[in-house]
Amino acid sequence: MTVNYDIKDLGLAEQGRKRMDWAEKEMPVLRLIKERFEKERPLAGVRVSACLHVTSETGNLMRTLVSAGADVVLVASNPLSTQDDVAAALVAFEEIPVYAIKGESNDLYYKHIKAGLDHKPQITMDDGADLVHGVLKEYPHLIADMYGSTEETTTGVIRLRAMAADGVLTFPVIAVNDSDTKHLFDNRYGTGQSTLDGIIRATNILLAGKTFVVGGYGYCSRGIAERARGLGANVIVTEVDPVRALEATMDGYRVMTMVQAAPLGDFIVTATGNKHVIDDRAFATMKDGCVVANSGHFNVEIDIPTLEALSVEKRQPRAFVDQYWLKDGRKINLLGEGRLINLASAEGHPSAVMDMSFANQALASEFLVLNHGKLSNGVHSLPKDLDVEIASLKLKAMGIEIDVLTPEQVKYLNSWQEGT
Ligand code: ADE
């Protein structure tokens, strides 16, 4: 083997391949795209650097890009989310250079990002905009040869829009998160199920009858709220957006400020894309034994430095649980170092939703090549017809048929003269 890599253990490759094959069975849309890509080779010779969570689903996206002819490098998009067996399988069986080790330090994380940029990508595929950030800050000479970038997540899109508003985003980026077949499913059902999965795997605490506070009511947080309610928890939502707060209220949740919710919560979980949603004011009144976790992209949603400063001791009663002993005797249990708990202590979103997210990623990379030179600099959505095509393929794979408009209905919808 000639590829360079930095992974935990190549000996895990066989297990990683089995897990990727298992995931692939739930990814029929991506499989169809892969079959087409094998024939058409739309990315032949294109250098792609992907900074994604290294999971069995991502493994299947990498296989798809390689089938399209791309020259791919994969690096971790979070220090705690890597599945080491998948990283090994991609190196051993697909000959993809992978730079990702679960539990890597911040330093190593950025060294791995650099390895992604040293590949001189013509397309960057981000989950959190770290490669784009790196290109703009340290590798601007790559821009002249770039088709553009794709971005997976809400937090990344927020960052990219800030770059565009500052006038520094000098190439096109496809915000995959904007597609309906991404955020309506991955963010809601994926984050919903996998976040509860992560919290339960980390703590094994019963949720029924507990008070569960959710920070935010975007698609991720509403998925978490819905699944926590399904497990019998009393759910409280905190929000800054009046419309979303109203929606949460009419969806049947109690809505209040984080300061009001903090002393009530047995669990407090954030997924907002913003920083310090849980801060010193909340730590001041939390219950003894409160479980605190984050499912947003970055670990800044919880003010961990302040929690550290308030503590006299830190213990680890279980894997992925840091128990902070406060000066007044209360204990606060922080899960997964405040990093996305669905990927830290569980396996991330189930394959069936990643199928659609990564179908969007695959089509977005093809779209960038097909439209080279035609897209303006800045953030774009994938065209609606591709989004609808992904939904249609998913329905077909699920064996679900839907009605078709009759010519009479089409005429009715397009005319204003027909009356009522
Ligand atoms: N983000 C959330 N879940 C994921 C998964 N299973 N694979 C890749 N990225 C993810």
Side-chain angles (χ1 to χ4, degrees):
M1 195 180 338
T2 53
V3 298
N4 292 323
Y5 57 86
D6 189 20
I7 62 169
K8 181 157 183 223
D9 178 4
L10 209 51
L12 299 171
E14 193 50 52
Q15 181 189 315
R17 174 154 70 177
K18 282 189 192 152
R19 288 184 56 255
M20 284 190 334
D21 291 347
W22 175 264
E24 198 210 12
K25 300 226 172 343
E26 291 277 303
M27 305 182 84
V29 180
L30 192 63
R31 215 165 44 231
L32 281 173
I33 293 171
K34 180 167 175 265
E35 282 163 19
R36 177 169 71 75
F37 278 7
E38 266 159 14
K39 290 190 205 108
E40 298 177 7
R41 308 277 288 174
L43 303 178
V46 176
R47 290 186 304 279
V48 178
S49 292
C51 175
L52 299 172
H53 302 297
V54 179
T55 65
S56 52
E57 293 75 25
T58 299
N60 282 302
L61 174 60
M62 295 303 107
R63 285 168 160 173
T64 306
L65 299 179
V66 168
S67 300
D71 172 8
V72 180
V73 165
L74 174 63
V75 307
S77 66
N78 187 287
L80 262 192
S81 63
T82 297
Q83 297 172 4
D84 291 313
D85 54 353
V86 170
L90 290 172
V91 172
F93 301 121
E94 313 293 333
E95 302 206 352
I96 295 176
V98 180
Y99 298 85
I101 300 175
K102 189 173 177 89
E104 65 195 23
S105 65
N106 254 23
D107 246 20
L108 188 57
Y109 175 78
Y110 284 106
K111 281 197 182 117
H112 287 166
I113 297 272
K114 190 172 173 313
L117 293 166
D118 286 339
H119 183 50
K120 302 191 177 67
Q122 294 163 293
I123 293 179
T124 62
M125 191 172 276
D126 260 323
D127 187 329
D130 278 344
L131 286 178
V132 168
H133 183 264
V135 168
L136 294 179
K137 286 272 183 195
E138 288 169 67
Y139 289 70
H141 51 281
L142 297 181
I143 295 173
D145 203 24
M146 276 178 69
Y147 294 97
S149 301
T150 68
E151 171 53 53
E152 172 79 4
T153 198
T154 314
T155 304
V157 175
I158 292 172
R159 262 180 124 185
L160 290 164
R161 293 220 156 95
M163 293 171 192
D166 260 359
V168 297
L169 191 60
T170 49
F171 47 88
V173 186
I174 308 295
V176 161
N177 191 66
D178 283 359
S179 295
D180 284 344
T181 49
K182 202 285 184 178
H183 67 262
L184 291 178
F185 301 91
D186 167 314
N187 299 25
R188 186 163 39 172
Y189 305 112
T191 309
Q193 177 166 323
S194 61
T195 299
L196 272 296
D197 184 12
I199 292 169
I200 292 166
R201 287 197 209 191
T203 66
N204 198 27
I205 296 176
L206 182 75
L207 270 102
K210 298 285 166 47
T211 298
F212 192 106
V213 180
V214 182
Y217 204 61
Y219 280 104
C220 292
S221 25
R222 73 184 58 192
I224 298 170
E226 208 172 343
R227 294 306 179 231
R229 176 153 73 184
L231 286 164
N234 295 302
V235 178
I236 295 172
V237 171
T238 73
E239 247 302 341
V240 292
D241 179 311
V243 176
R244 286 186 171 173
L246 203 52
E247 255 188 301
T249 304
M250 297 210 185
D251 283 345
Y253 300 108
R254 280 187 291 164
V255 175
M256 60 185 77
T257 66
M258 185 57 88
V259 166
Q260 290 167 331
L264 306 178
D266 299 296
F267 296 83
I268 307 182
V269 182
T270 53
T272 67
N274 209 338
K275 73 184 288 197
H276 295 183
V277 178
I278 298 177
D279 62 9
D280 55 334
R281 295 167 300 166
F283 294 134
T285 60
M286 277 178 195
K287 283 187 193 176
D288 181 29
C290 183
V291 172
V292 177
N294 168 50
S295 226
H297 186 79
F298 290 118
N299 65 346
V300 296
E301 305 216 6
I302 301 165
D303 183 359
I304 299 170
T306 292
L307 181 58
E308 297 267 356
L310 291 170
S311 306
V312 286
E313 204 180 327
K314 182 165 127 185
R315 295 191 184 172
Q316 195 169 55
R318 289 170 65 96
F320 301 108
V321 183
D322 285 323
Q323 188 170 70
Y324 288 87
W325 291 45
L326 304 191
K327 291 174 189 133
D328 60 17
R330 285 175 302 133
K331 297 176 205 71
I332 293 177
N333 296 304
L334 176 68
L335 304 189
E337 301 168 19
R339 303 199 188 274
L340 333 101
I341 194 58
N342 60 337
L343 281 143
S345 60
E347 292 170 63
H349 302 350
S351 320
V353 289
M354 293 315 293
D355 185 26
M356 291 189 282
S357 310
F358 285 167
N360 275 283
Q361 284 284 10
L363 295 187
S365 56
E366 181 185 38
F367 182 77
L368 282 172
V369 173
L370 289 175
N371 290 281
H372 188 42
K374 295 186 210 149
L375 296 169
S376 59
N377 297 337
V379 182
H380 298 261
S381 303
L382 209 56
K384 191 76 198 152
D385 57 329
L386 294 179
D387 202 0
V388 171
E389 184 190 326
I390 291 169
S392 301
L393 291 173
K394 189 72 176 175
L395 282 170
K396 192 160 172 233
M398 294 167 88
I400 295 169
E401 287 181 45
I402 61 170
D403 288 321
V404 179
L405 291 173
T406 63
E408 187 192 6
Q409 287 173 321
V410 173
K411 185 163 167 264
Y412 177 76
L413 290 176
N414 289 315
S415 74
W416 56 271
Q417 284 147 322
E418 198 169 314
T420 50

